[in-house]
Amino acid sequence: GEDVEQSLFLSVREGDSSVINCTYTDSSSTYLYWYKQEPGAGLQLLTYIFSNMDMKQDQRLTVLLNKKDKHLSLRIADTQTGDSAIYFCAESMDTGGFKTIFGAGTRLFVKA
Amino acid sequence: KAGVTQTPRYLIKTRGQQVTLSCSPISGHRSVSWYQQTPGQGLQFLFEYFSETQRNKGNFPGRFSGRQFSNSRSEMNVSTLELGDSALYLCASSPRGVTTDTQYFGPGTRLTVL
């Protein structure tokens, strides 16, 4: 089946690291993504990882993938108040056409 | 390059009416996907179009339909609106609609059904 799960809320202090976790069920996923949505805005692609990779680092963002456990995480180093947003984990698959399944989103609160 | 544009941005309808939403993809992008975002259900995949053909469809009733034109612009239509159709409808475009593509999202159309 196709399902992506993530915790709904995370609260951190400014300057700390944030870790947002996600689990997915479809082993045929080829790419896994992290999107950010700020209030009143559409989704912005933050980063993605190919399913045969374990880790990807992009400035303050580190993505870890445990394919055996179907677990994906996003670590944001030195979290800032501007990072407050909803973060969506997503998996994509080619099923005779493009399809992306999103998690429910994790709302990140950053306290000054 | 201009981003993905969606019109209208806000819409208020009453139950039983129908509505048409429009999405203009980034120039050169041939794949357009539609999603429904609600607080309770999160982001749910509606359908994906490529070269005027619907290639993939999510689990939505037949009241939800769409089409894509030769210029890749896409419309989605919802007939016989229900209160539960109130949501943010997002469209996303990508060059070829394959997993190696990056999807770019529009700002969404917020539909309120009274």
Side-chain angles (χ1 to χ4, degrees):
Chain A
E2 304 159 350
D3 196 17
V4 176
E5 292 190 358
Q6 45 185 135
S7 51
L8 293 181
F9 299 100
L10 177 65
S11 180
V12 300
R13 289 192 180 279
E14 193 173 24
D16 287 351
S17 290
S18 309
V19 179
I20 303 171
N21 294 302
C22 165
T23 56
Y24 61 98
T25 56
D26 198 314
S27 57
S28 65
S29 297
T30 50
Y31 277 84
L32 295 130
Y33 309 87
W34 285 103
Y35 285 87
K36 177 182 180 183
Q37 186 178 38
E38 294 178 276
L43 269 70
Q44 172 198 354
L45 179 65
L46 280 180
T47 187
Y48 62 91
I49 188 167
F50 188 48
S51 57
N52 69 352
M53 295 170 65
D54 298 325
M55 185 183 93
K56 181 178 180 181
Q57 186 144 7
D58 186 358
Q59 299 181 345
R60 292 192 297 124
L61 306 177
T62 303
V63 179
L64 295 177
L65 175 60
N66 181 328
K67 197 171 181 182
K68 175 176 164 288
D69 294 336
K70 298 192 179 75
H71 182 266
L72 183 74
S73 68
L74 173 70
R75 179 177 178 268
I76 305 173
D78 186 26
T79 312
Q80 302 298 306
T81 54
D83 295 323
S84 294
I86 302 176
Y87 291 82
F88 291 91
C89 167
E91 59 175 344
S92 72
M93 55 209 80
D94 278 319
T95 54
F98 188 50
K99 188 173 181 179
T100 305
I101 305 299
F102 285 82
T106 298
R107 186 176 290 276
L108 174 64
F109 295 95
V110 182
K111 296 175 284 190
Chain B
K1 258 190 189 176
V4 179
T5 57
Q6 292 187 245
T7 55
R9 292 292 310 277
Y10 302 91
L11 209 47
I12 299 175
K13 292 284 188 179
T14 55
R15 277 184 302 172
Q17 287 187 308
Q18 74 158 18
V19 68
T20 300
L21 312 181
S22 180
C23 172
S24 293
I26 290 172
S27 178
H29 286 195
R30 295 168 65 191
S31 169
V32 174
S33 297
W34 287 90
Y35 298 86
Q36 182 195 64
Q37 185 178 17
T38 58
Q41 300 293 320
L43 264 158
Q44 292 192 289
F45 173 78
L46 278 156
F47 24 66
E48 186 247 354
Y49 285 87
F50 180 83
S51 290
E52 302 178 65
T53 300
Q54 185 185 90
R55 293 196 301 188
N56 230 327
K57 192 175 191 303
N59 295 325
F60 279 82
R63 299 185 298 107
F64 290 81
S65 63
R67 59 179 174 166
Q68 186 179 35
F69 301 94
S70 58
N71 62 357
S72 295
R73 190 177 70 84
S74 177
E75 288 181 347
M76 68 162 278
N77 185 76
V78 188
S79 62
T80 320
L81 283 165
E82 300 177 0
L83 295 178
D85 297 332
S86 293
L88 180 68
Y89 290 87
L90 293 164
C91 93
S93 76
S94 70
R96 297 162 298 156
V98 295
T99 54
T100 47
D101 278 354
T102 297
Q103 277 192 105
Y104 294 87
F105 281 80
T109 294
R110 185 162 296 280
L111 172 65
T112 303
V113 182
L114 303 175

